[in-house]
Amino acid sequence: MDLSIDKGILQKAQARAIDTRRDIHKHAELGLIEFRTAALVANRLNELGLEVSVGKEVMDESSVYGLPPDEAVAQGFARAIEEGADRALIERMRGGCTGIVGVLDTGRPGPTLALRADMDALPIVEHGGRDHVPAREGFRSVHEGVMHACGHDAHTAVGLAVAEVLAANKDKLSGKIKFIFQPAEEGGRGSLPMTTRGVVDDVDHFIAIHVGVGVPSGVLCPAVTGHLASEKWDVSFEGKAAHAGGWPEQGANAVLAASNAVVSLYGISRHREGRTRINVGVINGGSGRNVIADKASLIMELRGETQDILDYLTRRGEAVIKGAALAQDVSANIQVVGKTTTAGSDAGLARMIADACTTVDGLQLRLDPHITGGSEDATFMMHRVQQRGGDAVYCAIGSDLPSGHHTPRFDIQEADLGPAIEALAKSLLSLSQ
Amino acid sequence: MDLSIDKGILQKAQARAIDTRRDIHKHAELGLIEFRTAALVANRLNELGLEVSVGKEVMDESSVYGLPPDEAVAQGFARAIEEGADRALIERMRGGCTGIVGVLDTGRPGPTLALRADMDALPIVEHGGRDHVPAREGFRSVHEGVMHACGHDAHTAVGLAVAEVLAANKDKLSGKIKFIFQPAEEGGRGSLPMTTRGVVDDVDHFIAIHVGVGVPSGVLCPAVTGHLASEKWDVSFEGKAAHAGGWPEQGANAVLAASNAVVSLYGISRHREGRTRINVGVINGGSGRNVIADKASLIMELRGETQDILDYLTRRGEAVIKGAALAQDVSANIQVVGKTTTAGSDAGLARMIADACTTVDGLQLRLDPHITGGSEDATFMMHRVQQRGGDAVYCAIGSDLPSGHHTPRFDIQEADLGPAIEALAKSLLSLSQ
Amino acid sequence: MDLSIDKGILQKAQARAIDTRRDIHKHAELGLIEFRTAALVANRLNELGLEVSVGKEVMDESSVYGLPPDEAVAQGFARAIEEGADRALIERMRGGCTGIVGVLDTGRPGPTLALRADMDALPIVEHGGRDHVPAREGFRSVHEGVMHACGHDAHTAVGLAVAEVLAANKDKLSGKIKFIFQPAEEGGRGSLPMTTRGVVDDVDHFIAIHVGVGVPSGVLCPAVTGHLASEKWDVSFEGKAAHAGGWPEQGANAVLAASNAVVSLYGISRHREGRTRINVGVINGGSGRNVIADKASLIMELRGETQDILDYLTRRGEAVIKGAALAQDVSANIQVVGKTTTAGSDAGLARMIADACTTVDGLQLRLDPHITGGSEDATFMMHRVQQRGGDAVYCAIGSDLPSGHHTPRFDIQEADLGPAIEALAKSLLSLSQ
Amino acid sequence: MDLSIDKGILQKAQARAIDTRRDIHKHAELGLIEFRTAALVANRLNELGLEVSVGKEVMDESSVYGLPPDEAVAQGFARAIEEGADRALIERMRGGCTGIVGVLDTGRPGPTLALRADMDALPIVEHGGRDHVPAREGFRSVHEGVMHACGHDAHTAVGLAVAEVLAANKDKLSGKIKFIFQPAEEGGRGSLPMTTRGVVDDVDHFIAIHVGVGVPSGVLCPAVTGHLASEKWDVSFEGKAAHAGGWPEQGANAVLAASNAVVSLYGISRHREGRTRINVGVINGGSGRNVIADKASLIMELRGETQDILDYLTRRGEAVIKGAALAQDVSANIQVVGKTTTAGSDAGLARMIADACTTVDGLQLRLDPHITGGSEDATFMMHRVQQRGGDAVYCAIGSDLPSGHHTPRFDIQEADLGPAIEALAKSLLSLSQ
């Protein structure tokens, strides 16, 4: 098995990855409106000679949850064009369909492999101080209030770099390699529509990547597990306003219903089979001090260690919300705006990756399960691949973080990207043969 | 108008009323099982030559709420027989139909009058100390745990005494006089079935009597008003038991549902049009510390200043209970075990009564409305009479009470009964002419 | 007693009142920042030769609740200057001290009278359609989002007009007449600081005025009563944020505490002595779906039929909020941002007013109590006057309203102001003599 | 190492264990009043020549929680005497000190071993049908309503049989062997007072035994783990009664406080580090429908996967209860009536036991951790031994159960006791040498 890669090719791709990461970081875009980023990805994959599919070709529009308001979509679209995105290309991405798949098809019989990266940023105001590298080095987000605070900029850059290296080594490969760039991992929105569309139905070996997540610099861990299955709900209550002093009995109190729901939601029972999590992160309701509130809303999430536990939580949560509404004669509406599931990393595939990476300088492989308490929608793809007989890993690219994920000073060590690119390229090379 | 009453007849009836009151006090019986008391009343009315109707003749059995458990009924029945009640008579009173109506029919054209008394006692252990007259004088309740702590013993005795006086003056009367003895005023259960059965449908002038209620000795007040309309509910929740440590998710928690209902019931909104009252007096639920409770119950009541307000409260209360049940996947059942309504005392009738009582020694008439915060089911009869064009008063027989209604040391001043008997007899005499 | 008023003087004042009302309407200002309005009032009173006191001279700054944020104050201040207010004058009104008192001192011995008007507008966007007179006639509020939707513009105009008429009839008067222009009646903020400062301590007869409030055009009703005592609270909860998926036990959940408080606040018991009202009109809390909320707030009010009932509600409300906070390990802070009390209209004074108004053409006097379910902080002044032996009325200037108080289409019939000005002038003239 | 045991001695002890088990089963006694059982144990240990300590010699009286009511203690005491217990002996056990320790001291240097059994039964009415072996064979509990439904009868019998076997093999042993018989494992009450008294302070190897717990017949598993740390609370709320219709504001509502506490207790947050369990199994409160309740109580428990998690739950639970009380102006009292902690089985000791049991016919040893979701207070002893440098296991004696623990048809396979007795005797023999 020839896992050698020309050093020049590799170094060029590694260097370019840094530039790409900084470019994307500087032009951070929120989930489902990553028009500029997706256009950049599509163009690069095209240049590399891959077959590129875009928009509804790779996403089931009816499975898209939590699309931003029309105005935000329009703004994001216009801005992407201003910043150079091709209008014809991004027109194809409307409706939240900003996913891209590039296929490197060798034409030779062999396995189908997939590498998955995500592209979206977060609604966070990026720190502007000199101690924050992106600010100091000039690639702080120019989209004020939107920030790559979870490293997806790096994931996209790494995915493109690996594609570049492998495209240059196509003759050593067999089968197909799919490079999947999903939108909107935040909020759990981008993966399910791609999975539903069948993007991973033919995949034998699947690798999802994520930088950081508690793994230190110098370590690659293709054994991340324990993602909680989750649903994100936006709940609205609608009652009837009334003057609280004059005609209190004529109101149907949406604030009272919502408050009752909050109290009861946290009281949903624990589950024998594993962890549960319930949170109402945000409550808003009412219009004036002396008016019985006719409107209230909750922004909440439910998480379970297994899909069964999550199903239990959603069933119970629905009952609690309906009951709280009924008690106050108000109506309640639950909108599911995001979903993730669970999926473990396969030890066999992790081992194969480790075997392929022994020649990567300065990189340590960790194979014992690394448990995370978070949620991640790449699990839909992993679950689908495993369900159809393939195997999958969630692979952490270790990096010492100056500040935690989802914080204004979040940053990665760019030096960690090079070895990861080499390792992933060699792993895919190995799996392909 | 001849309102004179032979002094000897009056004094005999007054003296007998004390004996009767003490006899009934000593043999206190709970609502809907006042078999002995009702038999005593029926016999006395028969002796006086009145037409006596009993049981289902004067009560609509299907309107009887809150019948005691079978065992309690059987015990009460057996005890009444032991204490001398006629079995054939009280057999007719089964099914909670312990009401009696005696009609003094003059055969002459004239108005139909009604005097209403109630007969039931309360589940209270009577005080046994020397400072409590019934104990000292030997007529403390021999039915341990049942006590006439609201004066209904006196009402029944007064009703019989007035019947005795008027039966002896039949030739001065015209029309009909109905003496209505209702069961189960406590809990609001006895009046509605008699009203529904039509007992007051032909009544032109109606007088309900009550001793005490805040009116002092020496005063008669045929102007009591402000009784709150009420419903008494027994609510049961049924869920599913589960081991709280092992399989918590398999339970459907009845204690949690009931607790939630309690919290929300008190939060039902105030009403523009008047007073509201909500109380969950008793909660019970669960079987063991480590078992998720499958059963819970509430004993509660709702009261409103008007029937409309009460209807609002019952509608809202039902929604709250159903909502709390739905939220916990348990079922809820509301059993209505008592009802009262509202009805004001008519000023015209009160005035006529006052005019008839000017010759009663040592009795002061009070005609300004005396407002009570309690509930009373004679209001169903009053409301019915008023609705059909008649008039009605709720008449307080003032008495200085050593201890409040519904307390173990409750007692009345027996000396207050004589003037009341005279006053009521004269009032009916006057109204009849 | 000479109650004649020169017709020319009266008509001039009446006509000017319309202009003044429209000017104030067009330049509506929120409570405690009515700089332009107060300056206009002060200037007019000066022109009339009254002794004018302003700012801290007539308001106890330490009793000012619910001052708008600094930025809003600064904006309001700057705008008033742009619109012509005298800077030196309004500098004296800083700190929420926008109240004005003008005294017409006859120098002759006699009673001290007071007429009170309020000056503030509401945060409502005024309707702009042709069917809305202010829009059609060109005096719709130019301060977008601020609107005189409760008629205080008319109150101020009437107050000035009455001052104008009486200043021209000074020789017929004796004693003193105080014209009190209070800020911030909305939210119950302006009256208490003026009362505390002693503004009405020497007043023998006090008249507060209000247009509309359910009284029709052509009627003057100096017998409004039943204002509920109230407190307005802004409550904030502060806990500790934590990642809801990862470290849920590390949070101190402010949204949960606030929700619990809402549920329990509505459950505060009814009161024997009269009406109670509780409302949490607005709830807000939390920052993100997956973050345990560290902040939440309530905007709420408590009202009672008497000051004692209100005191009961505030004591219980405080306990509920502290308990809810304690249960969740969060802190709670209650800020009182408004207060009103109760005070009835004195029948004797109302009668004197009625007697003085018999010669006012087309005006009907109504003296039976007109009960309102709202709250009003003029009650502090009324209560103070009554407490010190004077008498007071709350006087409704009837007007048929096209749309209710506090709505975007609220308007009055300007034709109702003229007779009211005449009636009030004659009343004060009469009371002064 | 000589692990041979004379077959005759063993068989005699095994046969006697069945008789003992049936005797104890028939005379089932509740925790802390196991007077007859403890007397039986003490007598048997005396007969075997062990040093026997009783009552306060082996229990710290001040650590005894949840002692039954005086009446129940007196009844249990009298019944034990009726059934033959020695009065002088059981007098020493008053105050809940029904624990017994028998020491087999070889006088030779060597390790100190301990075998722990528990003796108490449950408040369950035992099934009486022919399909239930104890009923069919005539040893159904004659103490109606008290039943050995968790196998503690078997534990005590096994403990005594092992003592009998080893006493007969004293010359093969060195060091000391302690036979610990604890009261009141149910409710977590008996172990802590013995541990606090120092009973296991000198123990090097500790074995607690339990029949069943999910392990099948034919298997011995000295590797049970995962017991949840727990506290059992009896909570009482005390407020102020008031007439709900008349003076609702004068009450301090204990039912409302308790209900609020229930709702909030279930809402205590999950914990990152492991399982939590919260249950309010029983709620009771109030005295009458129309009385605001002055009393309410909760019977509840908290469990956590670790002692730290339990400490978190108790801290939070206390805050919730205090907050709910504060909100309603009532007082709350938490009485801790039971406690357990966590402690894992040591793999080394389990291995030693397995090695000692290879010659036990028909017994399979299971050494992989067997996780239980329940709680067990032997963990206090295990934890103490481990803390002082010794090792400990919780050893399941497998048995196929016809019905689950704590059910009316619970029973064990008596045939499983013989091999267990042999295995435990050999294990202690081996550990002693």
Side-chain angles (χ1 to χ4, degrees), chain B residues 54-108:
Chain B
V54 165
K56 299 187 190 78
E57 295 160 13
V58 295
M59 292 182 75
D60 173 42
E61 195 180 1
S62 69
S63 307
V64 175
Y65 298 103
L67 195 62
D70 288 351
E71 197 179 355
V73 173
Q75 267 179 0
F77 192 88
R79 190 176 59 189
I81 289 172
E82 270 172 46
E83 292 174 357
D86 180 65
R87 177 186 292 270
L89 176 61
I90 68 174
E91 279 290 357
R92 294 162 61 197
M93 301 175 186
R94 283 193 181 278
C97 295
T98 43
I100 309 285
V101 176
V103 179
L104 180 57
D105 191 345
T106 64
R108 286 181 287 277

Side-chain angles (χ1 to χ4, degrees), chain B residues 270 275-279, chain C residues 267-274 276 308-309 311-313 315-316, chain D residues 240-253 292 328-329:
Chain B
R270 278 74 171 158
R275 280 175 295 163
T276 54
R277 294 286 182 272
I278 297 162
N279 195 49
Chain C
I268 291 175
S269 178
R270 279 71 172 160
H271 196 287
R272 175 178 184 79
E273 303 300 335
T276 54
D308 276 358
I309 295 176
D311 292 346
Y312 157 77
L313 291 175
R315 202 166 54 242
R316 293 288 298 111
Chain D
K240 187 159 160 281
H243 189 281
W247 292 267
E249 77 282 4
Q250 294 186 5
N253 195 326
I292 291 178
Q328 301 302 331
D329 284 341

Side-chain angles (χ1 to χ4, degrees), chain B residues 228 231-234 242-249 253 255-256 258-260 262-263 266 275 277-293 296 298-301 303 337 373-374 406, chain D residues 228 231-234 242-249 253 255-256 258-260 262-263 266 275 277-293 296 298-301 303 337 373-374 406:
Chain B
L228 298 175
E231 287 204 11
K232 289 96 167 72
W233 289 2
D234 285 356
H243 190 280
W247 291 268
E249 78 282 3
N253 195 327
V255 160
L256 184 48
S259 296
N260 232 311
V262 169
V263 170
Y266 282 103
R275 280 175 295 163
R277 294 286 182 272
I278 297 162
N279 195 49
V280 180
V282 179
I283 186 171
N284 287 301
S287 58
R289 189 187 304 280
N290 64 349
V291 181
I292 290 177
L298 307 179
I299 297 180
M300 59 173 286
E301 59 171 25
R303 307 190 193 206
V337 297
H406 294 212
Chain D
L228 297 176
E231 286 204 11
K232 288 96 167 74
W233 289 1
D234 285 357
H243 189 281
W247 292 267
E249 77 282 4
N253 195 326
V255 160
L256 184 50
S259 297
N260 231 312
V262 169
V263 170
Y266 283 103
R275 280 175 293 163
R277 293 287 182 271
I278 296 162
N279 196 48
V280 180
V282 178
I283 186 171
N284 287 302
S287 58
R289 187 186 306 279
N290 65 349
V291 181
I292 291 178
L298 307 179
I299 297 180
M300 58 173 287
E301 59 172 25
R303 306 190 194 205
V337 296
H406 294 211

Side-chain angles (χ1 to χ4, degrees), chain D residues 289-321:
Chain D
R289 187 186 306 279
N290 65 349
V291 181
I292 291 178
D294 63 345
K295 288 201 169 59
S297 65
L298 307 179
I299 297 180
M300 58 173 287
E301 59 172 25
L302 302 167
R303 306 190 194 205
E305 191 165 338
T306 67
Q307 187 62 42
D308 276 358
I309 295 177
L310 178 61
D311 292 346
Y312 158 77
L313 291 175
T314 57
R315 202 165 54 240
R316 294 286 300 109
E318 207 178 305
V320 161
I321 288 166

